[in-house]
């Protein structure tokens, strides 16, 4: 009897691991890597890996903020416009003579203020975050279009600072954006798993009224999540303006939907209360691999967005199917659990 005890415990631990939000995303990431590696011999070249990590890092930075907010039960459709506003403000502050470091801090302050506007509107009006941020998205995008005049605006940020923010300073030629992305993933993971703020975020996403009854500062925490989401968008905007040395009215357009997509691929629920920053990291890597892989296998350019969208939907379906299979206990049930109970003895 004692020899049969460790096996169920091992199976339960394995099942608990597989039920984590990031596990299915990691499996989907591995499948994507293997698939494109077989389809194209160039997929694992250094140049391809640099392109993949560039795409994953810049979108993933936005995705980390979106992940925190979605776990808290809300959504932000304006974060793509915040990316553009942040890029523009970096250029503007540099043009009036501010040092690059102060220009970056100023752009982040503006981004945080935009997130504060979103959070206060949601909390004070009682409207859903979807409709509120849909409105502010158009307001922010309109401001960016007016400020740029619809034309690209060049940046004159000093070269050393550009290199620190987005230069190819890492071994092998990988860009610094990968460092900022990794730091955000680690910081968000620590926050969600080891801090009171993380506990509050999960509680609000699961049931805001119950969380309020337990003493959780729902309004303050929700506003802070909107600010963090916009700050991540601001960081992505700074990284992009440092890399491209210009900004235009379309900077960040559509990024909010892609960020939501990689977050869902990473296992975060649209209904809130459950998610993982590490899972979103895998989701961002999947997006980068799909983008680069489709180019390498010669996918037709006019079908490119269609194929990207279809592949992302497929990854989400694989993620959800895997999670449902594990949560049902299918292939991890012990023999005792699978053994049918004896029929009731007739009286």
């Amino acid at each position: 009897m004692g020899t049969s005890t460790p096996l169920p415990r091992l199976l339960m631990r394995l099942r608990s691991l597989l039920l984590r939000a990031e596990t299915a995303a990691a499996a989907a990431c591995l499948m994507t890597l293997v698939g494109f590696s077989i389809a194209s011999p160039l997929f694992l070249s250094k140049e391809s890996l640099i392109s993949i990590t560039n795409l994953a890092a810049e979108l993933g930075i936005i995705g980390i903020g979106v992940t925190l907010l979605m776990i808290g039960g809300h959504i932000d459709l304006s974060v793509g416009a915040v990316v553009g506003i942040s890029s523009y403000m970096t250029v503007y502050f540099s043009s009036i003579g501010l040092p690059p470091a102060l220009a970056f801090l100023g752009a982040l302050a503006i981004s945080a203020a935009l997130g504060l506007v979103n959070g206060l509107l949601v909390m004070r009006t009682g409207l859903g975050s979807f409709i509120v941020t849909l409105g502010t998205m158009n307001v922010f995008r309109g401001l960016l279009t007016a400020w740029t005049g619809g034309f690209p605006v060049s940046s004159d940020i000093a070269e050393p600072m550009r290199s620190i923010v987005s230069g190819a300073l890492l071994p092998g030629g990988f860009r610094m954006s990968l460092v900022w992305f990794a730091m955000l993933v680690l910081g968000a993971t620590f926050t969600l798993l080891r801090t009171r703020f993380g506990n509050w975020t999960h509680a609000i996403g699961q049931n805001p009224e119950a969380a309020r009854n337990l003493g959780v500062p729902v309004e303050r925490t929700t506003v802070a999540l909107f600010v963090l989401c916009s700050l991540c968008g601001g960081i992505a905007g700074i990284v992009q303006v440092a890399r491209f040395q210009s900004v235009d009215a379309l900077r960040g357009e559509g990024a909010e939907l892609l960020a939501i997509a990689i977050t869902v691929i990473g296992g975060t629920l649209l209904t809130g209360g459950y998610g993982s920053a590490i899972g979103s990291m895998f989701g961002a890597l999947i997006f980068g691999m799909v983008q680069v892989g489709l180019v390498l296998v010669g996918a037709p350019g006019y079908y490119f967005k269609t194929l990207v969208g279809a592949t992302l939907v497929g990854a989400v379906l694989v993620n959800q199917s895997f999670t449902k299979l594990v949560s049902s206990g299918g292939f991890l049930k012990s023999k005792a659990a699978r053994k049918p109970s004896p029929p009731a003895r007739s009286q």
Side-chain angles (χ1 to χ4, degrees), residues 204-270:
I204 293 170
Q206 291 169 6
N207 191 324
E209 288 306 316
R212 184 178 285 107
N213 293 335
L214 290 172
V216 175
V218 175
E219 288 78 11
R220 191 174 68 202
T221 304
T222 301
V223 171
L225 288 171
F226 275 101
V227 171
L228 287 173
C229 184
S230 289
L231 273 175
C232 287
I235 294 171
I238 291 172
V239 168
Q240 290 192 2
V241 78
R243 182 158 75 96
F244 297 116
Q245 302 181 41
S246 66
V247 61
D248 57 73
L250 298 180
R251 176 64 53 83
E253 187 173 49
E256 62 282 342
L257 298 179
L258 291 175
I260 292 171
I262 68 169
T263 300
V264 174
I265 290 172
T268 300
L269 296 179
L270 285 168

Side-chain angles (χ1 to χ4, degrees), residues 279-306:
S280 295
M281 177 193 71
F282 285 121
L285 288 172
I286 289 172
F287 173 80
M289 288 190 287
V290 169
Q291 286 271 64
V292 174
L294 289 178
V295 172
L296 293 177
V297 299
Y302 39 84
Y303 286 135
F304 188 73
K305 286 189 176 181
T306 303

Side-chain angles (χ1 to χ4, degrees), residues 26-40 43-44 49 52 285-286 289-290:
C29 186
L30 180 60
M31 290 171 59
T32 306
L33 175 66
V34 172
F36 279 117
S37 299
I38 295 172
S40 172
F43 186 74
L44 293 180
L49 293 177
I52 290 169
L285 288 172
I286 289 172
M289 288 190 287
V290 169

Side-chain angles (χ1 to χ4, degrees), residues 68 71-73 192 196-206 221 225 273:
L68 292 172
I71 293 173
L192 289 171
R196 186 168 56 178
F197 183 84
N199 291 334
W200 289 348
T201 300
H202 283 99
I204 293 170
Q206 291 169 6
T221 304
L225 288 171

